[in-house]
Amino acid sequence: MKITQQKWRNFSGKVFDQPITDIIKNAIIREQKAGYRLKVCVGSDSQAYKSHVEYATVIVVLREGKGGFMFMTNYKGTKHIGIKERMLKEVTMSVEVAYTICDILDKYDVALEVHADINTDPKFQSNVALKDAMGYILGMGFVFKAKPYAFASSSCADKVV
């Protein structure tokens, strides 16, 4: 599958040229210096169209009791894929980003969660990928959240896909 990726940006639209590791490190240093206790949540979502699939991955930085902010990137896949494969692609994208930033988060004692846009209710199509996604995320050593607790993917990434 051919995928084109955009640069990381914030919700205001500012585009960053540096690697996500530098962006996150600078944000953590700034926020901790201001006295905030932080948690980071990573999630992805997708939208299938007739000719392609669009993906979004977000990193949500939460200030305990004081809101938060996020960084996002979009991808455009040219190949149509089934629901289970698409859900697992979203999870893979989130895990890759989480893995990229986890050493920085550990260094600055920031908690990390990986959110999957997968419904825990078997009545929904996305549920076909729940066990695989949960096993993958937990197997990588990350905290796993699914709907309705996976706001990074089901709310934040959903808004920018």
Side-chain angles (χ1 to χ4, degrees), residues 95-108:
V95 167
E96 287 173 354
V97 170
Y99 186 75
T100 301
I101 64 172
C102 68
D103 288 343
I104 294 163
L105 301 179
D106 287 346
K107 179 179 178 180
Y108 291 96

Side-chain angles (χ1 to χ4, degrees), residues 50-73:
K50 284 186 179 184
S51 61
H52 65 283
V53 180
E54 291 187 14
Y55 300 91
T57 299
V58 299
I59 301 170
V60 181
V61 181
L62 296 173
R63 300 178 191 113
E64 191 175 276
K66 298 290 182 180
F69 55 95
M70 70 179 179
F71 301 100
M72 65 205 82
T73 189

Side-chain angles (χ1 to χ4, degrees), residues 13-46:
K14 178 183 177 189
V15 177
F16 297 90
D17 286 323
Q18 62 261 57
I20 191 60
T21 50
D22 293 347
I23 298 167
I24 292 297
K25 180 181 176 183
N26 294 338
I28 290 171
I29 291 170
R30 180 186 69 236
E31 296 298 319
Q32 286 183 338
K33 189 174 182 180
Y36 295 113
R37 183 161 167 74
L38 304 174
K39 176 166 72 171
V40 169
C41 304
V42 178
S44 298
D45 196 11
S46 63

Side-chain angles (χ1 to χ4, degrees), residues 119-136:
N119 208 304
T120 54
D121 187 338
K123 291 187 285 187
F124 292 89
Q125 285 184 326
S126 66
N127 185 264
V128 299
L130 180 64
K131 288 181 183 176
D132 293 336
M134 187 183 333
Y136 182 31

